[in-house]
Amino acid sequence: MKICVLGLGYMGLPTACLFATNGHEVIGVDINPKVVEKINNKECPFKENGLTKIFEKAYDNGFRASLNVEDSDVFIIAVPTPVVNKHAELKYVFSATEMIMPYLKKGNLVILESTVVPGTTSKLLQNSLERSRLNAGEDFYLVHCPERAIPGNTLHELIYNDRIIGGVNDASNEKAKELYSCFVKGEIFTTDATTAELVKVMENTSRDINIAMANEFALIAEDLNVNVWESIELANKHPRVNILQPGPGVGGHCIAVDPWFIIETTKRARMIKLAREINSSMPYEVFRQVKNIVNEIDNPNITVFGLAYKANVDDTRESPSLKFIEIAKSFGLNIETYDPFVKEDDLSVIENSDCIVILTGHDIFRQLDWNSIGNKMRNKNVFDARNMKLELENFNYRTLGK
Ligand code: SAJ
């Protein structure tokens, strides 16, 4: 088939490469000329495990990028759906739909991969596309097919994870299932479009709630003067208990984002909303504890270790570190940052530091020479929001929830 993938980001590009290396002709479309140029110069535009290799194979098979849509058999929309002021911003989905309209013809399959508010595919998208006088489900096929691949292991999970497809009718589901079977080795389950949209946001919302509970236990443990990390580890010995890990908040463009897609559609999402509020409050909780540590110090220097939203990645989208820095600066504290994944850095930033605040659990932080770091600090305070269990001597080493 000839497949047109709109949106060549963290999911769109790997997906395009998987189709292009499994027997299909693929054209990638993006609004960013730099991305288009890099791809056509055989340069992979971003880092992801194993992506460069499959990208180069796709390129050799004829995969190219363009700013414009072309006549195709299949159109896949994989554009971002960020949250703006706690509401889903779907304008990129609609502009991608407008780009497809002039090319939509009988027999086409349209696939929405982007995470959206439940109801988008069968109401908004179907109505837009049917302005072409073609009927969804009969003249062309329409499905929602969400991705659930974790950044850092995207290609493996796109291939081996089970996949959910939700179509406007069975014929649409059959078409999409046949197409994805060319690379998906997990099981493919089919349902209706709105169920598939809800399933996707349920997955990430459930994780956000579990993280919020872990964070709430961290604050309770402090009041009880017990160690929340030990408590969770022991509670999880129960065969059916799996409490997640506390932290300085929830970042990334998924877990921190998807719950808002449900909250905006119904007043019933009370616990879901409260979990978001708890997780969004964690940077303030961390700041409160750091402020107490440096309270007696005149004009304290704080050094944040970790800008990325989670360990061992370079992605800072929605990162709690950025929120913590904003709060600390608003209180007039001097802030330096250190994150070798995110920017060229050297450890000179810790000179004269009064407190190092670990907000991302990068493994490389364990291999640092903490003794020499301590010798350069003005006050040897460390606040650890990720329970790194560092072996530090002669430091005032505090951990969240302990
Ligand atoms: N976090 C905690 N405590 C935990 C787990 C995570 O504080 O116990 C924090 C992380 O530090 C990070 C944030 O939550 O700031 C999100 O990280 P994550 O590892 O939970 O997940 P993401 O955002 O990298 O990927 C998630 C995954 N969804 C689920 O695990 C249900 C992934 O499978 C999805 O495909 C992805 O969202 C997505 O694209 O939707």
Side-chain angles (χ1 to χ4, degrees), residues 244-257:
L244 295 180
Q245 298 290 289
V250 169
H253 58 295
C254 317
I255 309 282
V257 165

Side-chain angles (χ1 to χ4, degrees), residues 11 115 147-151 157 161 200 203-208 211 214-215 243-256 258 279 308-311 318-320 359 386:
M11 291 303 151
T115 305
E147 47 68 29
R148 49 171 57 151
I150 195 147
E157 292 208 350
N161 283 1
K200 170 62 190 175
E203 291 162 8
N204 286 344
T205 299
S206 68
R207 190 163 171 84
D208 195 46
I211 295 166
N215 286 331
I243 300 167
L244 295 180
Q245 298 290 289
V250 169
H253 58 295
C254 317
I255 309 282
D258 295 1
N279 288 332
Y309 79 90
K310 68 175 189 180
E318 308 278 328
S319 172
L359 296 178
R386 294 290 188 176

Side-chain angles (χ1 to χ4, degrees), residues 244-303:
L244 295 180
Q245 298 290 289
V250 169
H253 58 295
C254 317
I255 309 282
V257 165
D258 295 1
W260 292 114
F261 290 4
I262 297 183
I263 295 166
E264 77 170 58
T265 57
T266 166
K267 290 266 171 292
R268 292 183 183 282
R270 293 178 299 153
M271 181 166 65
I272 294 171
K273 192 163 188 292
L274 183 56
R276 276 287 67 236
E277 285 161 11
I278 290 167
N279 288 332
S280 304
S281 73
M282 289 313 287
Y284 294 93
E285 292 294 341
V286 169
F287 176 72
R288 173 177 56 79
Q289 300 192 40
V290 169
K291 188 92 178 54
N292 287 342
I293 292 170
V294 299
N295 231 6
E296 310 303 313
I297 298 168
D298 192 21
N299 194 19
N301 301 320
I302 307 289
T303 315

